[in-house]
Amino acid sequence: MAFKLDGNPLAVDVPFTVGDVNYPANWLRLSTAQEKKDLGITEVADVPVFDGRFYNGDGTAKKLTDTNEVDENGDPVLDENGDQLVTLGVKSVLKAQEKNIAGSLLARYDWYVVRKAEKSTAIPTAITTYRDGVRTACTTRETEIDNCADTAALVTLYSYKDDGTAYMTQYPTDPNS
C-alpha cells in the first residue's frame, strides 16, 4: 500500500513532518489506520507492476505474433538492404530466449564433441543423453510457446503450480551438478 499526505506521496520507512511534529521512519508501519486518518494520511493502491515479457508498462498485452512494419500509407518499411522490417512478437522473443538457454547448456559440453572429432574419444553416455535431452526440451518448450492461444496462456505456461512444479517442460539436470 502507498500513502499520501495532502495529495503528495509519503514514502514508507522515511521520516516525515506534519506541522511542527517530526515522525520517525517506522511510524507508517506501526501506526493504526485511525492514527493515519487523524493526520490526513490516505492509503492508495500501489501502482500495478506488469511482467514486461508479456505486457507493456500500461498493462496492455504485447503482440504475440510478429508484425510487418508499414508506414502511414500502408507501404512496407524496408531496412537498408531493402528487406521488410519485422517487429518480433512475444512468442518469437521467448523462443529465441529458449534457443539461447539451450545453446548455453550445450556449450558446457561442446569440448566432448570436439575431442571426439579430433581424437575419436567417445563421448560419455551421460553427456550424450543430457545433450539430447536439452535439445528435446528446447523443441518442446518452443512448441508449448507456439501452442499458447493468448497472453493469459503464456503467463500460465511461465508460472508454477501450487505444488511448486512448473507448467512448462523443464531442461534436464546437468549430469555434473
Side-chain angles (χ1 to χ4, degrees):
M1 229 3 127
F3 300 98
K4 285 193 174 189
L5 176 61
D6 297 327
N8 297 314
L10 196 57
V12 176
D13 296 329
V14 175
F16 63 97
T17 302
V18 176
D20 293 332
V21 180
N22 295 321
Y23 292 88
N26 64 350
W27 191 87
L28 287 172
R29 290 192 186 278
L30 300 176
S31 61
T32 66
Q34 186 61 48
E35 290 171 324
K36 291 180 190 98
K37 183 178 178 184
D38 290 346
L39 280 180
I41 296 172
T42 57
E43 289 189 37
V44 293
D46 290 324
V47 176
V49 177
F50 301 99
D51 189 329
R53 293 175 296 179
F54 312 112
Y55 299 100
N56 298 307
D58 64 359
T60 57
K62 292 182 177 180
K63 286 191 170 272
L64 294 182
T65 57
D66 299 347
T67 304
N68 289 330
E69 294 300 321
V70 295
D71 64 18
E72 60 277 353
N73 298 323
D75 297 324
V77 175
L78 307 177
D79 66 12
E80 61 275 355
N81 297 322
D83 297 323
Q84 169 83 49
L85 280 181
V86 177
T87 300
L88 297 179
V90 173
K91 288 183 177 184
S92 290
V93 170
L94 293 174
K95 290 190 299 185
Q97 289 173 352
E98 292 303 328
K99 287 183 189 317
N100 285 336
I101 291 168
S104 174
L105 295 172
L106 292 171
R108 297 177 191 163
Y109 297 106
D110 282 350
W111 69 272
Y112 281 108
V113 177
V114 173
R115 182 179 72 171
K116 178 165 176 48
E118 290 180 355
K119 301 290 185 181
S120 297
T121 304
I123 301 172
T125 303
I127 300 302
T128 302
T129 301
Y130 171 73
R131 289 174 61 88
D132 290 342
V134 167
R135 285 188 284 272
T136 300
C138 181
T139 300
T140 303
R141 287 168 74 102
E142 289 179 38
T143 300
E144 290 169 344
I145 291 167
D146 277 334
N147 288 343
C148 289
D150 55 25
T151 301
L154 270 175
V155 170
T156 299
L157 180 64
Y158 275 83
S159 62
Y160 292 87
K161 300 174 189 172
D162 290 338
D163 65 3
T165 59
Y167 287 99
M168 182 179 262
T169 298
Q170 297 299 289
Y171 286 101
T173 302
D174 187 315
N176 291 326
S177 62

